[in-house]
Amino acid sequence: MISGSRTCLSFPPVENALSEPNGLLAVGGDLSPQRLLEAYSRGIFPWFNEDDPILWWSPDPRMVLFPNELKISRSLRKTLKKDHYQIRTDCSFTQVMHACAAPRKGQAGTWIHPQMVAAYTMLHEKGLAHSIETWMDGVLVGGLYGVSLGKVFFGESMFSLVPDASKIAFVHLVKKLQCWEYGLIDCQVKTGHLASLGAREISRVEFGQKLDTLINGSKPGSKWHFDRVLIE
């Protein structure tokens, strides 16, 4: 583990990450677009409290979803077939981030503080960070955001104000990524919520190998539009 400077964009090798706490790799640096893109391309992400220095992580194992392994429960499939919601993309990115940052049961604070919101909004403006949003009766009720590089989507956080709202957005995201031939969705660390949707853990080594293949030849970003998504 090292303390990063504000001028050097390089990170130490991910195999240098600590096993306890799992994945802590580096401390310091900044959240410039250049540094964030360098981090994500190597399977590293920032996660830290507002009053702490920036902490960079590369956990082992890594929770991922291969788009073709998406699982949709019978009850969720029924919900998806209803017409009571609308899916929008990149319409209210900052609003989605703020909603993800709202206090949750059992949590004392949030890691999605103003510094993080500003940093990812900059990536959004460059067409590299995206929000997938569930709206009902003109109100944003759920969604998620993350970073897209090459054929990889790096999920960051999601929220729901009504049952299944984040799952609705997530399923539409995965279905569209299947159409776009994405190979991987990074879920970072294991949760029961993501496991129920088909996500599973792989080793850091395998994760890095996937990134090397799928991010190669990454093109400039642009705003996303989900013109048509089929929910079977």
Side-chain angles (χ1 to χ4, degrees):
M1 183 176 66
I2 67 168
S3 295
S5 72
R6 295 186 64 83
T7 57
C8 178
L9 294 181
S10 296
F11 289 92
V14 293
E15 56 265 26
N16 289 3
L18 299 180
S19 56
E20 184 58 43
N22 182 16
L24 181 59
L25 177 67
V27 180
D30 56 36
L31 295 177
S32 66
Q34 296 87 346
R35 193 181 296 275
L36 283 171
L37 295 179
E38 168 68 14
Y40 279 102
S41 68
R42 295 180 53 189
I44 303 164
F45 60 88
W47 183 41
F48 62 102
N49 294 323
E50 185 171 11
D51 296 327
D52 293 338
I54 300 174
L55 303 178
W56 301 91
W57 302 80
S58 178
D60 188 17
R62 189 76 165 232
M63 190 73 163
V64 302
L65 175 70
F66 295 97
N68 290 334
E69 295 183 2
L70 173 68
K71 295 180 180 178
I72 305 176
S73 67
R74 183 176 301 178
S75 60
L76 179 57
R77 193 176 298 276
K78 289 181 179 179
T79 299
L80 289 164
K81 290 183 177 180
K82 298 178 181 178
D83 60 359
H84 66 303
Y85 66 86
Q86 178 186 14
I87 295 294
R88 302 179 188 176
T89 54
D90 289 342
C91 291
S92 300
F93 181 86
T94 302
Q95 187 178 351
V96 169
M97 285 200 71
H98 285 303
C100 289
R104 304 185 187 190
K105 184 177 181 180
Q107 291 184 348
T110 179
W111 54 273
I112 308 174
H113 40 75
Q115 188 179 2
M116 293 286 275
V117 174
Y120 285 84
T121 298
M122 289 181 65
L123 287 184
H124 172 65
E125 291 170 350
K126 293 178 178 294
L128 296 169
H130 303 278
S131 59
I132 297 83
E133 309 153 10
T134 303
W135 292 74
M136 294 181 182
D137 298 323
V139 178
L140 177 65
V141 297
L144 60 98
Y145 75 95
V147 175
S148 177
L149 292 178
K151 294 294 186 179
V152 181
F153 184 81
F154 299 86
E156 280 297 314
S157 188
M158 58 178 60
F159 80 99
S160 287
L161 300 182
V162 300
D164 289 336
S166 64
K167 289 185 177 181
I168 290 171
F170 186 77
V171 170
H172 280 80
L173 167 67
V174 177
K175 288 293 185 179
K176 182 54 71 172
L177 295 186
Q178 290 175 359
C179 295
W180 289 342
E181 298 182 339
Y182 272 55
L184 190 68
I185 299 172
D186 176 31
C187 304
Q188 297 182 347
V189 295
K190 184 176 182 179
T191 68
H193 180 76
L194 292 167
S196 70
L197 291 164
R200 57 184 172 91
E201 292 181 317
I202 62 175
S203 71
R204 181 192 290 132
V205 171
E206 182 180 355
F207 182 71
Q209 292 170 342
K210 296 291 185 185
L211 294 188
D212 289 344
T213 300
L214 294 168
I215 292 181
N216 185 36
S218 179
K219 298 180 180 180
S222 61
K223 189 174 182 178
W224 277 3
H225 298 281
F226 285 12
D227 52 349
R228 185 169 67 95
V229 178
L230 297 178
I231 302 297
E232 300 174 355

